[in-house]
Structures are given as structure tokens and as C-alpha cells.
Amino acid sequence: SPKSFVLSHIKWERGRWKSALANKLIPFWQPVSYFEQLRGLAGTFHQRVEFYSQIWAKKNSDIMKSIAGKEKAVMLKFEEVFYAGSGKEILKETMDWLDVPIKKEFVETLLSDRVNASNFIPNEWDNQCTEIVRNNCGELMREFGYQE
């Protein structure tokens, strides 16, 4: 989901100097304008939410455009694959679809009982962040079946 994507990338950026540097200073590192990357130097939390929301929307809309009208395309949601309630079956179906034999059972420890949940939601997350995500990602969220 876009909120999980945004939070994950903000945590990653804060935790790794290389990630922060790449996302703020390297031209064309991300699929949004260089101006948006330069705005990251201001580093406000809302700006980072906007930045990563735009990236989620751009990447997913590009993927959807590239597979439009193709019969042999399957959409997988990260949280469904790595959720214990559905993950094992989805992984098996995917391997069958790819015609790749399964040599051994999937390890249950890779799957979780938590669906798309994060232990960490920064104090900065507020209604404005939710609105930013909705503005940038709302159309795709509806298409993918995510709650707004």
C-alpha cells in the first residue's frame, strides 16, 4: 500500500546515510522530477511523504500501463504474498504460473500473521500526510482495492 511504501522508505532514508544522499542529491535516481528531489533538501516530513507518494504512484502507474491488455500478467500485492493467511498459496500459484518447479516447501517463517502493518508510525504522521497520499495515489489505491 502507498502508506506502507512511504513509511518504509522514510525509515530507510533516515536509517542509511547512503539512501538519504541518493534520494536527495543524485539526479534522476528516482522516477520523479529532479526538482522534487531538490525539494528533499528541505527535508520536512510532509515533503518526504509527498516525494515517496509520487514515486509509488509513478512506478505503479507505469507498471499498469506496461501490462495493459496483456493476458499473461498477474498482479501480486506484497502484503498478500507475505501474509501467512494467503502467502503460501499465492507463492505456489505464482510458481505454477511461471512454470517453475518447487524443490522444497516454502518456509513458514517468511510469512507473517500481520497484514500490511508497521510497528513504527512516526509522530509526524497526521491527517495532512493521509491527504497527501490520497491526492497522489488515490486513483490507483481504488484500482488496487486499498482503503483510502
Side-chain angles (χ1 to χ4, degrees):
S1 74
K3 182 178 179 181
S4 294
F5 178 88
V6 168
L7 290 173
S8 176
H9 279 72
I10 288 173
K11 288 190 300 188
W12 178 255
E13 186 176 272
R14 286 180 173 178
R16 294 207 46 192
W17 173 242
K18 290 178 186 179
S19 178
L21 185 67
N23 281 313
K24 293 179 182 178
L25 294 176
I26 299 175
F28 314 113
W29 178 254
Q30 293 287 0
V32 293
S33 74
Y34 188 51
F35 173 72
E36 286 300 320
Q37 290 185 41
L38 287 176
R39 285 183 61 218
L41 293 173
T44 69
F45 187 76
H46 291 119
Q47 187 279 331
R48 301 320 287 159
V49 171
E50 177 97 25
F51 180 71
Y52 288 115
S53 295
Q54 290 175 354
I55 290 169
W56 185 90
K58 173 76 172 128
K59 287 182 177 181
N60 282 286
S61 64
D62 286 351
I63 290 167
M64 295 307 287
K65 285 177 191 170
S66 72
I67 64 172
K70 296 186 177 159
E71 294 174 20
K72 292 197 171 201
V74 173
M75 183 184 353
L76 299 173
K77 291 181 182 175
F78 178 88
E79 60 272 16
E80 290 175 348
V81 173
F82 291 98
Y83 169 55
S86 60
K88 195 170 182 179
E89 191 57 39
I90 289 174
L91 287 170
K92 284 180 183 177
E93 288 172 12
T94 303
M95 298 302 279
D96 288 344
W97 184 79
L98 292 169
D99 199 24
V100 174
I102 299 172
K103 300 242 182 213
K104 62 181 183 177
E105 280 293 307
F106 296 108
V107 180
E108 296 281 341
T109 57
L110 293 174
L111 307 175
S112 171
D113 287 326
R114 297 180 328 149
V115 179
N116 198 23
S118 175
N119 299 358
F120 171 78
I121 296 179
N123 294 335
E124 301 102 322
W125 193 274
D126 58 15
N127 289 337
Q128 185 178 350
C129 295
T130 301
E131 190 61 30
I132 290 168
V133 170
R134 185 179 296 121
N135 287 340
N136 286 291
C137 308
E139 185 178 326
L140 282 169
M141 289 170 66
R142 287 185 292 279
E143 187 175 337
F144 297 158
Y146 289 119
Q147 299 289 335
E148 279 194 62

